[in-house]
Amino acid sequence: MERSSAAAPGGSSRREATRQKLYEAAVTLIAEQGFSATTVDEIAERAGVAKGTVYYNFASKSVLFEELLRHGVGLLTASLREAAEQTALAGGSKVDALDAMIRAGLGFIARYPAFTQLYVAELWRTNRAWQSTLMVVRRQVVAAIEDVLHEGVANGEFSEEIDVQLTAAALVGMVLVAALDWQSFQPERSLDDVHAALSRLLQGRVSGSR
C-alpha cells in the first residue's frame, strides 16, 4: 500500500519504505491465512527483511496489524475527502460529491482488495486487542461522508429528516459490500460499471418510469 504523501528524506525515508514493505507483506499473508496463523517470521520473509527489523519497527505482530489498519483507513479517508473537495472546487452539488466519493472508494478497494477484505472481516470480530482502534478508524471513514451530508442538509439539498449517521454508515457499507462482491464474483465488470450501478442507487434512479 502506497503512502498518500512523500516521506521525509534520509533515514525517515528508508524507514517508511521498510514499514511499507511490512504493511504489504502483512496484509497479503493475513488475508491469505488469517491473523493467528501468520507468524512474524513469515512477514519478515515475505517483506525481504530480517525478523529483527519487524520488531524494530513494530513492538509486536498485533501492533503491526493495528498500524496497518490505521494506515489503510487513513489512505481511504484521504481519498474520499479529496474527491469531495475536488467536486466542491468544480462547483458540483453535494450529491455529486457523494457520487465522487463512491467512485473514489471503489477505486481504493480495487487497488487494495486484500486490505479491504481484512478490514471488513475485522469489523465483525470481537475481543481483539485492536478493537478500539478499529472503531476509531471506522469513525474516520463514516465521518467523511457525514460531513458532506451535514453540508447538504444545511444548504437545503438534503432533507432535514435524514438520519445523517445511519445514512453515512449505509453508504460506506454499500460501497464495501458491492466492491467485494465485484472483486470476488464479477471481476469481469469495470469500475465504471460498478460505479454506474451505485450512482443510480444514490440518485434514486432505480425505479423505471410508468
Side-chain angles (χ1 to χ4, degrees):
M1 299 178 66
E2 298 177 359
R3 287 182 57 82
S4 56
S5 59
S12 295
S13 179
R14 287 192 294 274
R15 186 179 184 192
E16 287 300 325
T18 299
R19 290 168 72 92
Q20 187 65 38
K21 290 180 182 178
L22 293 172
Y23 285 141
E24 292 172 354
V27 74
T28 303
L29 286 166
I30 295 171
E32 289 174 354
Q33 57 195 32
F35 177 82
S36 298
T38 299
T39 66
V40 172
D41 285 331
E42 289 174 319
I43 293 172
E45 182 179 359
R46 180 69 66 93
V49 302
K51 181 178 180 179
T53 301
V54 180
Y55 289 115
Y56 174 76
N57 286 276
F58 304 99
S60 66
K61 184 176 71 170
S62 291
V63 171
L64 168 56
F65 188 68
E66 184 176 355
E67 289 302 312
L68 172 62
L69 288 173
R70 291 183 182 275
H71 178 74
V73 173
L75 290 179
L76 172 57
T77 303
S79 69
L80 296 179
R81 291 195 179 279
E82 181 179 3
E85 290 168 3
Q86 291 300 317
T87 302
L89 289 174
S93 67
K94 296 308 174 186
V95 170
D96 292 333
L98 291 175
D99 191 54
M101 294 171 91
I102 286 174
R103 186 176 183 87
L106 291 172
F108 176 90
I109 294 166
R111 190 173 188 179
Y112 305 120
F115 172 79
T116 307
Q117 291 169 10
L118 279 181
Y119 174 69
V120 172
E122 291 303 319
L123 284 175
W124 291 98
R125 297 181 188 274
T126 58
N127 301 320
R128 290 295 201 193
W130 51 80
Q131 193 70 18
S132 60
T133 296
L134 189 63
M135 293 301 100
V136 169
V137 296
R138 172 200 169 274
R139 184 72 199 128
Q140 291 175 3
V141 177
V142 175
I145 305 293
E146 286 180 356
D147 288 347
V148 175
L149 290 172
H150 278 302
E151 291 167 2
V153 171
N155 69 16
E157 188 173 341
F158 301 143
S159 169
E160 294 182 355
E161 296 180 357
I162 67 169
D163 185 319
V164 169
Q165 187 174 27
L166 187 56
T167 300
L171 287 171
V172 171
M174 176 182 74
V175 172
L176 287 174
V177 174
L180 288 178
D181 185 88
W182 163 39
Q183 293 287 305
S184 299
F185 303 111
Q186 305 180 65
E188 72 281 0
R189 290 185 178 274
S190 68
L191 189 152
D192 288 339
D193 288 339
V194 181
H195 174 232
L198 299 190
S199 181
R200 290 188 186 97
L201 286 172
L202 172 68
Q203 300 179 39
R205 293 186 283 116
V206 176
S207 60
S209 59
R210 293 184 181 273

